[in-house]
Amino acid sequence: MLIRTRTRADLPSSEITPEPVYRSRREFMRLAGAGTLGAAAGSLVAGCEAGTSAAQAALPPAKKSPLSTNDRPHTWEQITGYNNYYEFGTGKSDPAQYAHRLTVKPWTVKVDGLVTKPGDYGVEDLVDFNQLEERVYRLRCVEAWSMVIPWSGVPLSAVLNKVGPQPGAKFVEFTTAVRPDEMPFLDSAGIDFPYIEGLRMDEAMHPLTTMVVGLYGKVLPNQNGAPLRVLIPWKYGFKSGKSVVRIRLTDQQPLNTWQKMQPSEYGFYANVNPNVDHPRWSQKDERVIGGLLTRRNTEMFNGYGDQVAGLYSGMDLTRQY
Ligand SMILES: Nc1nc2c(c(=O)[nH]1)N[C@H]1C(S)=C(S)[C@@H](COP(=O)(O)O)O[C@H]1N2
Ligand SMILES: [Mo]
């Protein structure tokens, strides 16, 4: 169940990371048109570390989603300085160091398979930047750590509805970028690229599932998956593929990267579940990154049982993990 003890507005201001100064949509479109947005994203780290939020271009205003948790968000520095993005290295600080090399503009997403409107889409063809929501979700990694992150995005269902799922579509497969010239660790990270993830159609259309384009009201930093990444808050973080370049609707269950790599450790569903341990990490509790109280009990479906348990009724979650 979603724990809403107090709203974010109730938090003493000392507990909230300063809100970004939002720019108007007009300003955003002007910057986007001039190509400045991509350049701002790309120059974020330029040789130094995670960068500051001030260096990152602002998105148009987003309304706060009622789906948000009221847990206190982590800071910009934590969220952009401790990442998993193996294309840019397996160390947690590697993506902050190397991901600025990724060219995120122009960006094309190929939409194909069982859709009525297949084609090559720009980010702004798929995501309505006038309809952004801020969704504060806890990202729970299967390595048993977590962070609370104020994402900006739209429901994935809004994106899929634009391209028209055909009735026979049962799954969505996401393929993420492979850029040999820009990604230094493609040969040494130990997994196959492109990174592939997938969802069942009902999971993809669930209102909690989000297509993310930003963080703290700013354009998404590259190390967090710019320009476009998926976020499914009741699943382990590895389900949320970064820098998506292809969305394919299919009637076959996709073989996701981690399941292909090690099927005894990683399944297709990857629902956060404190009762099913990973062979190497207990899932009963989690380390909260940078927190004073550094451990918390992991919640079933990461706290979203009320909203999503029904998707899995009749399934044995110890077998379909
Ligand atoms: N393309 C790609 N997407 C990826 C990964 C990756 O290595 N490559 N790592 C995943 C894992 S394991 C996690 S926990 C989350 C981390 O997201 P964050 O760095 O924004 O917190 O991204 C996921 N998406
Ligand atoms: Mo993860």
Side-chain angles (χ1 to χ4, degrees):
M1 110 128 225
L2 240 188
I3 306 197
R4 286 204 198 91
T5 43
R6 49 183 186 175
T7 68
R8 191 154 171 234
D10 296 329
L11 289 174
S13 58
S14 60
E15 280 189 48
I16 307 178
T17 307
E19 285 290 335
V21 182
Y22 291 115
R23 280 187 207 164
S24 70
R25 172 172 166 78
R26 216 153 115 228
E27 171 78 342
F28 172 77
M29 297 313 285
R30 191 182 64 75
L31 289 172
T36 326
L37 275 182
S43 65
L44 166 68
V45 274
C48 44
E49 288 173 3
T52 63
S53 80
Q56 194 74 346
L59 290 167
K63 58 175 189 292
K64 172 93 183 243
S65 168
L67 300 171
S68 294
T69 172
N70 291 302
D71 292 346
R72 179 188 169 190
H74 281 69
T75 66
W76 175 272
E77 287 71 22
Q78 289 168 325
I79 296 166
T80 63
Y82 188 96
N83 302 99
N84 271 338
Y85 196 162
Y86 274 27
E87 293 87 331
F88 293 104
T90 54
K92 302 299 179 211
S93 57
D94 289 340
Q97 194 178 345
Y98 298 111
H100 67 273
R101 296 183 186 178
L102 183 67
T103 308
V104 296
K105 205 170 186 82
W107 193 271
T108 303
V109 181
K110 183 186 184 65
V111 179
D112 63 347
L114 300 173
V115 290
T116 55
K117 286 175 257 176
D120 291 337
Y121 289 82
V123 175
E124 286 169 31
D125 302 328
L126 292 176
V127 174
D128 186 346
F129 281 79
N130 231 354
Q131 297 288 323
L132 294 181
E133 296 173 27
E134 182 181 72
R135 296 182 161 195
V136 186
Y137 288 154
R138 175 177 297 277
L139 183 137
R140 171 56 161 83
C141 177
V142 72
E143 298 164 331
W145 51 266
S146 71
M147 263 197 254
V148 177
I149 306 181
W151 303 109
S152 303
V154 297
L156 179 64
S157 63
V159 174
L160 295 177
N161 285 334
K162 283 186 189 234
V163 299
Q166 291 180 15
K170 295 195 175 71
F171 297 91
V172 190
E173 178 188 77
F174 302 97
T175 305
T176 78
V178 179
R179 299 272 182 80
D181 295 339
E182 299 178 345
M183 296 171 159
F185 293 90
L186 292 176
D187 295 328
S188 57
I191 56 176
D192 285 347
F193 297 106
Y195 193 96
I196 305 243
E197 258 309 334
L199 294 170
R200 223 169 53 190
M201 206 58 198
D202 56 348
E203 299 175 319
M205 297 301 282
H206 192 280
L208 284 165
T209 304
T210 307
M211 189 57 102
V212 166
V213 296
L215 171 61
Y216 268 117
K218 301 295 185 93
V219 169
L220 195 63
N222 289 3
Q223 59 266 44
N224 294 94
L228 194 69
R229 62 104 47 104
V230 191
L231 213 290
I232 311 100
W234 70 93
K235 294 180 179 284
Y236 294 119
F238 71 82
K239 293 298 291 181
S240 67
K242 295 178 170 180
S243 310
V244 171
V245 294
R246 183 178 179 193
I247 300 174
R248 185 172 72 94
L249 276 67
T250 161
D251 57 2
Q252 305 288 317
Q253 181 173 301
L255 181 56
N256 48 316
T257 294
W258 284 103
Q259 184 180 16
K260 180 178 166 202
M261 167 80 189
Q262 192 53 271
S264 62
E265 298 191 3
Y266 307 97
F268 175 74
Y269 284 95
N271 292 314
V272 174
N273 187 342
N275 308 315
V276 178
D277 284 338
H278 181 279
R280 287 180 284 137
W281 301 286
S282 161
Q283 301 299 346
K284 289 179 183 56
D285 65 358
E286 63 206 48
R287 183 168 58 93
V288 178
I289 298 302
L292 281 176
L293 294 168
T294 53
R295 295 206 82 84
R296 75 194 295 274
N297 290 331
T298 292
E299 294 171 79
M300 188 66 199
F301 297 114
N302 207 21
Y304 296 98
D306 282 359
Q307 288 106 309
V308 302
L311 296 175
Y312 310 103
S313 55
M315 280 175 56
D316 179 352
L317 297 179
T318 60
R319 295 176 60 86
Q320 293 186 287
Y321 51 86

